[in-house]
DNA sequence: AACGGATCCAACCGCCTTCCA
DNA sequence: TTGGAAGGCGGTTGGATCCGT
């Protein structure tokens, strides 16, 4: 059997934590930081095992944990991701801003699970598990619903077919129930206007499908105060991802993003576009190539590297604009899952623990590495010289939700 | 008011993975 | 390369609370 539980040691308390124990643990970690759990109890003066301390900290005491009732949006996220990932609670929890894996797990087991399959796996739901009955697609070819493209659609469709045919070439209406539309209509409602999104599915002569999602946005200074150095600021951005099935369980993935704006707006829009892209396709399938950004004067043409491991991209994708790379489906899924398992940084975590807001140069400064972080600094000179560094990318939240967005806006 | 079943959720347990000497 | 230590994860438990009878 496994190793002897550390909690079996004599004299160690078990069960519910007292307020006094909480205070001791919190104070110790606040002073010394996380880690070294095995020796922490002795150093902190707690009669608990290290594991118990770690769990108590991770699930209860750690600052920033969101507790209480799950919102309908969070619930849908859990249902959607569980359909894809199964009981990968830690991965699912990373898509739920400030929720712990334990809480997500409990919520699933106590609420969602018992609702039965009728609601979750309803025929109209885009998140239902694939069943044998689902193989009733025409002649083995898969039809893609172009108004509600989801990870599940992509996974189920591509991983079970050699050919993909199109159903329609269409634009998704704003009333669509896709995740993208939710984000656009709810999460970004105070940030962008107007917003339009176009999803198209086309088929080439060989019967292979290309899915493209483009996002057009405009940022208004009335709704978003990007930087005190800018009085008015508008921007537009578009992002597109195309995925092509090419038989033998291989996909072609390409992604392009372009924007016209001041550098700060452009960076933000690229960030948002990136998140939207991840929500719809990138997280599971893997995101393609790089993106380009143009300054307001149209002169600057810059490539932004989205292949950083801090984005949910397949690391092997090169940075060339419009590049197309071929992948094996299984490799992609494995890679995507692996990347989601990586430690992600929350925006507010950096703000609260490591960063100082509004430094002398009116920029957001990361205490841990001030030399490379000047995300908003360029706004003062008209946005002609964005400096996109790795450190900056670390600060970009990989979990895009309303809460997260609100935090971002709050700190801007 | 008392009882018992249902529900919730914090915490524990054991296995697995990662790290490092 | 290897083995032990440490951390992470998912399944499960058990106490507290809720609620209907």
């Amino acid at each position: 059997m496994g190793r002897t539980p550390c909690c079996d040691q004599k004299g160690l308390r078990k069960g519910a934590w007292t307020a006094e124990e909480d205070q001791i643990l919190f104070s110790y970690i606040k002073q010394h930081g996380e880690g070294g759990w095995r020796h922490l109890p002795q150093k902190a003066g707690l009669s608990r095992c290290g594991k118990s301390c770690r769990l108590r900290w991770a699930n209860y005491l750690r600052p920033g944990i969101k507790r209480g009732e799950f919102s309908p949006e969070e619930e849908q996220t859990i249902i959607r991701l569980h359909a894809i990932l199964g009981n990968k609670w830690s991965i699912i929890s990373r898509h739920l801003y400030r929720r712990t894996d334990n809480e997500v797990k409990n919520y699933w087991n106590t609420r969602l699970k018992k609702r039965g399959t009728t609601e979750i796996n309803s025929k109209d739901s885009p998140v239902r598990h694939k069943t044998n009955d689902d193989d009733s697609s025409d002649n083995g070819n898969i039809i893609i619903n172009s108004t509600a493209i989801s990870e599940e659609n992509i996974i189920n469709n591509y991983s079970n077919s050699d050919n993909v045919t199109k159903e329609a070439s269409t634009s998704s209406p704003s009333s669509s129930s896709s995740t993208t539309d939710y984000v656009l209509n709810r999460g970004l409602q105070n940030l962008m206007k107007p917003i339009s999104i176009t999803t198209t599915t086309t088929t080439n002569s060989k019967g292979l499908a290309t899915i493209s999602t483009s996002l057009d946005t405009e940022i208004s200074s009335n709704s978003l105060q990007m930087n005190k150095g800018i009085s008015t600021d508008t921007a537009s951005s578009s992002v597109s991802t195309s995925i092509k099935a090419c038989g033998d369980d291989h996909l072609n993935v390409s992604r392009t993003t372009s924007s016209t704006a001041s550098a700060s707006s452009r960076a933000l829009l690229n960030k948002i576009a990136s998140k939207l892209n991840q929500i719809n396709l990138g997280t599971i399938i893997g995101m393609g190539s790089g993106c380009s950004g143009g300054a307001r004067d149209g002169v600057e043409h810059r490539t932004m590297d989205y292949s950083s491991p801090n984005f949910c991209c397949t690391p092997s994708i090169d940075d060339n604009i419009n590049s197309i790379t071929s992948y094996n489906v299984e490799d992609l899924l494995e890679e995507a899952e692996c990347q989601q398992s990586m430690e992600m940084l929350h925006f507010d975590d950096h703000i609260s623990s490591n960063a100082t807001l509004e430094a002398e140069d009116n920029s957001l400064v990361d205490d841990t590495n001030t030399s490379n972080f000047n995300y908003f600094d360029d706004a003062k000179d008209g946005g002609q010289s964005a400096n996109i560094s790795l450190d900056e990318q670390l600060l970009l939240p990989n979990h895009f939700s309303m809460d997260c967005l609100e935090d971002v806006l709050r700190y801007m």
Side-chain angles (χ1 to χ4, degrees):
Chain A
M1 291 296 286
R3 109 183 42 142
T4 305
C6 54
C7 296
D8 283 351
Q9 295 174 38
K10 287 183 179 179
L12 295 188
R13 275 177 47 79
K14 293 171 74 173
W17 280 65
T18 65
E20 184 183 3
E21 287 177 313
D22 282 345
Q23 181 59 47
I24 293 172
L25 179 60
F26 186 87
S27 299
Y28 182 87
I29 293 177
K30 190 177 179 183
Q31 187 176 354
H32 299 94
E34 297 181 46
W37 297 106
R38 183 161 290 250
H39 302 293
L40 183 148
Q42 190 178 3
K43 293 178 180 176
L46 284 166
S47 297
R48 294 274 183 174
C49 74
K51 264 189 163 184
S52 181
C53 292
R54 188 180 67 82
L55 278 175
R56 183 63 178 173
W57 172 258
N59 291 332
Y60 196 85
L61 296 177
R62 184 161 49 92
I65 292 176
K66 183 179 179 182
R67 311 187 69 80
E69 198 64 22
F70 280 67
S71 68
E73 290 75 24
E74 288 177 310
E75 188 177 297
Q76 282 305 307
T77 300
I78 294 173
I79 293 170
R80 188 169 56 88
L81 291 177
H82 187 270
I84 308 168
L85 301 168
N87 297 350
K88 300 291 184 182
W89 306 118
S90 68
I91 298 175
I92 293 172
S93 69
R94 290 180 191 133
H95 290 265
L96 295 162
Y97 194 55
R98 294 176 167 180
R99 296 287 189 181
T100 68
D101 56 350
N102 206 39
E103 198 172 15
V104 172
K105 179 175 59 182
N106 282 333
Y107 189 72
W108 174 267
N109 287 331
T110 61
R111 311 282 187 87
L112 303 180
K113 195 176 181 179
K114 61 184 61 174
R115 285 185 194 175
T117 57
T118 52
E119 180 182 345
I120 296 172
N121 293 343
S122 67
K123 192 172 180 65
D124 293 333
S125 169
V127 299
R128 64 196 172 118
H129 286 287
K130 180 175 175 56
T131 65
N132 290 337
D133 293 341
D134 290 334
D135 290 332
S136 57
S137 307
D138 298 345
N139 303 320
N141 294 331
I142 302 298
I143 306 298
I144 294 178
N145 178 355
S146 56
T147 62
I149 296 172
S150 67
E151 295 93 332
E152 300 78 19
N153 292 135
I154 303 299
I155 293 169
N156 289 342
N157 291 342
Y158 283 113
S159 62
N160 291 284
S161 68
D162 291 334
N163 298 300
V164 178
T165 61
K166 74 152 189 167
E167 180 181 40
S169 178
T170 181
S171 297
S172 60
S174 58
S175 59
S176 165
S177 60
S178 72
T179 306
T180 301
D181 288 319
Y182 160 72
V183 173
L184 292 178
N185 293 330
R186 300 287 299 280
L188 303 180
Q189 58 187 351
N190 296 320
L191 174 61
M192 299 175 174
K193 67 174 184 178
I195 296 170
S196 65
I197 182 166
T198 305
T199 302
T200 56
T201 305
T202 57
T203 307
N204 64 16
S205 58
K206 296 181 179 179
L208 304 178
T210 298
I211 308 163
S212 297
T213 304
S214 67
L215 164 70
D216 295 306
T217 65
E218 180 179 338
I219 277 186
S220 167
S221 60
N222 295 328
S223 59
L224 173 65
Q225 295 183 355
M226 291 288 296
N227 188 290
K228 290 179 180 177
I230 289 181
S231 57
T232 60
D233 192 6
T234 59
S236 65
S237 178
S238 66
V239 57
S240 65
T241 296
S242 63
I243 299 174
K244 297 180 180 180
C246 52
D248 297 323
D249 289 339
H250 276 68
L251 298 177
N252 285 334
V253 181
S254 68
R255 178 179 182 277
T256 59
T257 300
S258 62
S259 62
T260 304
S262 71
S264 55
S265 296
R266 185 177 63 235
L268 178 67
L269 283 168
N270 281 335
K271 180 169 67 175
I272 292 169
S274 169
K275 300 308 150 191
L276 291 173
N277 218 29
Q278 288 175 31
I279 290 169
N280 275 288
L281 299 167
T283 300
I284 298 301
I285 297 300
M287 219 153 59
S289 62
C291 78
S292 63
R296 266 191 298 210
D297 58 10
V299 174
E300 183 189 0
H301 197 71
R302 188 174 47 79
T303 299
M304 201 165 156
D305 180 13
Y306 276 92
S307 61
S308 159
N310 298 296
F311 289 95
C312 290
C313 313
T314 51
S316 51
I317 295 174
D318 64 55
D319 301 333
N320 296 329
I321 300 169
N322 296 328
S323 67
I324 295 177
T325 314
S326 184
Y327 297 95
N328 178 278
V329 171
E330 293 302 319
D331 290 344
L332 272 176
L333 296 179
E334 189 177 337
E335 219 165 47
E337 183 170 338
C338 172
Q339 285 162 28
Q340 287 184 56
S341 299
M342 292 187 309
E343 187 65 30
M344 301 296 186
L345 294 179
H346 287 304
F347 192 89
D348 69 319
D349 288 342
H350 257 261
I351 293 298
S352 59
S353 61
N354 296 321
T356 302
L357 199 60
E358 305 251 341
E360 289 180 0
D361 60 357
N362 206 26
S363 66
L364 194 61
V365 176
D366 180 357
D367 283 342
T368 61
N369 192 344
T370 56
S371 61
N372 288 326
F373 191 69
N374 61 347
Y375 187 58
F376 299 107
D377 194 24
D378 63 285
K380 288 193 301 185
D381 59 28
Q384 299 297 314
S385 57
N387 181 1
I388 308 298
S389 68
L390 180 62
D391 302 273
E392 174 189 356
Q393 292 184 15
L394 281 172
L395 283 165
L396 301 184
N398 278 278
H399 314 271
F400 193 71
S401 67
M402 279 201 296
D403 288 341
C404 180
L405 180 66
E406 287 167 2
D407 278 347
V408 171
L409 296 179
R410 192 175 302 125
Y411 288 115
M412 280 183 171

